[in-house]
Each structure stands twice: as C-alpha cells, then as structure tokens.
Amino acid sequence: MTLNHINLSVPDISETAVFFEKHFNFKIVRAKANTIAILEDAEGFVLVLSNFPNTASFDYPADFHIGFYQPDKEKVLDIFHKLQADNLALTQQPGLIRDRYGFYFYAPGKILIEVTCAGE
C-alpha cells in the first residue's frame, strides 16, 4: 500500500502553496482561486491544499504534524537557514529529536512541520 496524497486545510492557499514550492520543491499542478491547490513532489507524492468552506483559520489537533526526511544533517541545516533568511518565525534550533537530527516549525496555515535526518 502506498500513501499517495494528503489534504491540508489552510486559510491562504496561495501563500501556503508558494511556501511548499520554495522550501520543499513541490510543483503546483493545478490551482483554483482560494479553494484548492494540488502540488506534487519529485517522487510523485501529492499535497492538496484546500479551503472549501472559505474559513479564515483552521486549528489542527495538538501534536499533528507532517515530516520531511532529509538525506543528511547538511540538508536539514540548509532548509533551516533558508527558512531563517525568509524571516519565518523559527522557535527551535536544529538538534537531536528521538535519536534523529532536525527541528520543528510552523509553516503558513499553522501547519507544524518536522524536518529531520538520521542522527548525527
């Protein structure tokens, strides 16, 4: 069985889609105003961003997050520094998380993201 997509509800689809394009190499495949955007990564994983009820805010349950596994510590740090350069509010420095090296942060749309790789 293969997980082929996930749908995340966000208040500003355009802002969130551009974020995933810029920082995680997704490509926007299709978009419709501020209702839906379909993005795909190089491995064929599909990320759907939606706002069907046209809601200004969404609250995910505590600890809900998505993760992006990186090949090594250098790539984790590269992503961290690019996020810093874009003035994204990063409240955690990269470090060990459950024997892995990485960090958590909130992306546009209040999506908690984990960026990690195998331990140091």
Side-chain angles (χ1 to χ4, degrees), residues 7-119:
N7 182 79
L8 298 173
S9 296
V10 296
D12 188 328
I13 290 174
S14 178
E15 175 189 33
T16 309
V18 167
F19 171 83
F20 278 104
E21 239 185 346
K22 182 174 185 177
H23 294 289
F24 293 98
N25 300 317
F26 279 87
K27 300 294 178 212
I28 298 173
V29 177
R30 189 169 46 141
K32 183 177 178 187
N34 199 36
T35 305
I36 191 168
I38 300 169
L39 295 82
E40 190 170 337
D41 72 5
E43 287 79 36
F45 181 78
V46 176
L47 174 62
V48 179
L49 304 172
S50 69
N51 188 344
F52 295 119
N54 200 17
T55 303
S57 179
F58 293 93
D59 292 316
Y60 287 102
D63 299 326
F64 173 84
H65 69 280
I66 60 174
F68 292 96
Y69 196 76
Q70 301 303 314
D72 53 43
K73 180 179 177 180
E74 289 73 28
K75 184 63 178 166
V76 170
L77 290 170
D78 180 53
I79 291 170
F80 182 82
H81 293 303
K82 286 179 181 176
L83 293 169
Q84 271 186 323
D86 273 357
N87 296 314
L88 200 70
L90 300 169
T91 57
Q92 179 185 24
Q93 294 290 316
L96 285 179
I97 303 171
R98 297 176 314 280
D99 297 325
R100 302 205 180 274
Y101 186 83
F103 64 99
Y104 288 91
F105 72 98
Y106 282 95
K110 295 193 284 187
I111 301 165
L112 183 59
I113 295 180
E114 176 182 0
V115 178
T116 190
C117 69

